[in-house]
Amino acid sequence: MTEISQSQFRREAAEIALWESPSPEPVAATRALLSQFDSSSNDQGVGNNAVGDGSRLPDLGPLSSFGSWESVAATIVHKAASVSGFDPGGTTFDLKAWNDFLTKFATIPLCLQYVYDYREANISSLSLKSAVDAVDDLLKSFMSPENYLGVVESIKKVGQLALSTERQTEKNSNQQIGCLSVHASRLYLGVVRTTVSMEHKKGKGYEQLTQTLQVYRGYGVLDFDKCKRSADKLLGWDGKDVDDWANDTASASQQPNQSPAWDN
């Protein structure tokens, strides 16, 4: 573990303490805008995946009770969700929590870096492949092609959840795929988000509307040494086993949607 000065150690502890503080309540002007947002015309679907390429990670040291670095990372992401009020296992959309979580995730002080970007794809109820291809381009930068197949299954599960979660005649399905990926002896914490407009047709259920879809991708690389230095803090958080993290979403119990549109 890398040695640092006491002043740097205290600074790191302060940064984590600031980060784990609950997200602030919005000011009056923001509350007024939020009151005009129609949450009933939105829902959410989340799918989580933990994958690896078999490459070795450092010894856990003082974090050995977690059992794996993936469970350390899952605990950190769970903390980001809890302090922002975001519920990955729910389908009710909360705009503030949705945005607060991404802010917390993008500023995790236990990561070496954070990278984010966007892609666009044209989709319709008859053609979804371009959306999958856009995610492919974003995620294969930190996982193997074989592991990516599991992510595609999660995308299809979230897609099935969107079809079965009824809201209004027209709705936005806000979708998130979370990824923990061990790749080349690094542990990546990633998230991909899209919002899909859908229309309910009598006798057919929900269909995606033809649209240009924007796909957001962000990821950080876990700082193993900093995690070890912050062991007392991490051990005091609500631990989340990586398997529980992967399965504690509303989409986990869904069968993957088998629409031929995924191949077109």
Side-chain angles (χ1 to χ4, degrees), residues 17 55 68 79 87 95 102 110 112 130 133 142 177 203 209 211 217-218 236 249 257-258:
S55 57
S68 71
K79 185 67 172 180
D87 179 14
L95 180 60
L102 192 59
L110 295 159
L112 292 165
S130 58
D133 288 345
F142 58 84
I177 301 295
L209 299 176
Q211 62 183 295
R217 182 278 304 264
T249 65
N257 182 273
Q258 298 299 324

Side-chain angles (χ1 to χ4, degrees), residues 18-97:
L18 287 169
W19 177 81
E20 70 173 330
S21 300
S23 299
E25 289 301 312
V27 298
T30 304
R31 291 198 301 271
L33 287 172
L34 286 171
S35 69
Q36 300 171 31
F37 176 75
D38 183 11
S39 60
S40 67
S41 64
N42 285 262
D43 58 27
Q44 75 173 26
V46 177
N48 289 334
N49 292 85
V51 298
D53 63 359
S55 57
R56 296 187 62 180
L57 299 180
D59 184 85
L60 282 160
L63 298 169
S64 60
S65 61
F66 280 98
S68 71
W69 278 109
E70 290 91 335
S71 289
V72 173
T75 296
I76 294 169
V77 177
H78 176 62
K79 185 67 172 180
S82 63
V83 297
S84 58
F86 178 62
D87 179 14
T91 59
T92 300
F93 183 68
D94 181 331
L95 180 60
K96 180 179 182 298

Side-chain angles (χ1 to χ4, degrees), residues 107-170:
T107 56
I108 293 173
L110 295 159
C111 286
L112 292 165
Q113 63 187 64
Y114 189 77
V115 176
Y116 69 93
D117 48 24
Y118 295 86
R119 293 288 186 276
E120 289 188 348
N122 295 315
I123 66 168
S124 72
S125 60
L126 300 177
S127 178
L128 298 172
K129 185 175 184 297
S130 58
V132 175
D133 288 345
V135 177
D136 174 304
D137 183 40
L138 296 171
L139 290 185
K140 283 186 180 174
S141 60
F142 58 84
M143 68 175 57
S144 68
E146 296 78 14
N147 286 328
Y148 177 70
L149 296 177
V151 176
V152 172
E153 181 171 288
S154 286
I155 293 170
K156 293 181 179 181
K157 284 186 175 184
V158 172
Q160 182 61 34
L161 180 65
L163 296 178
S164 60
T165 306
E166 293 191 7
R167 289 290 187 267
Q168 298 184 356
T169 301
E170 291 189 5

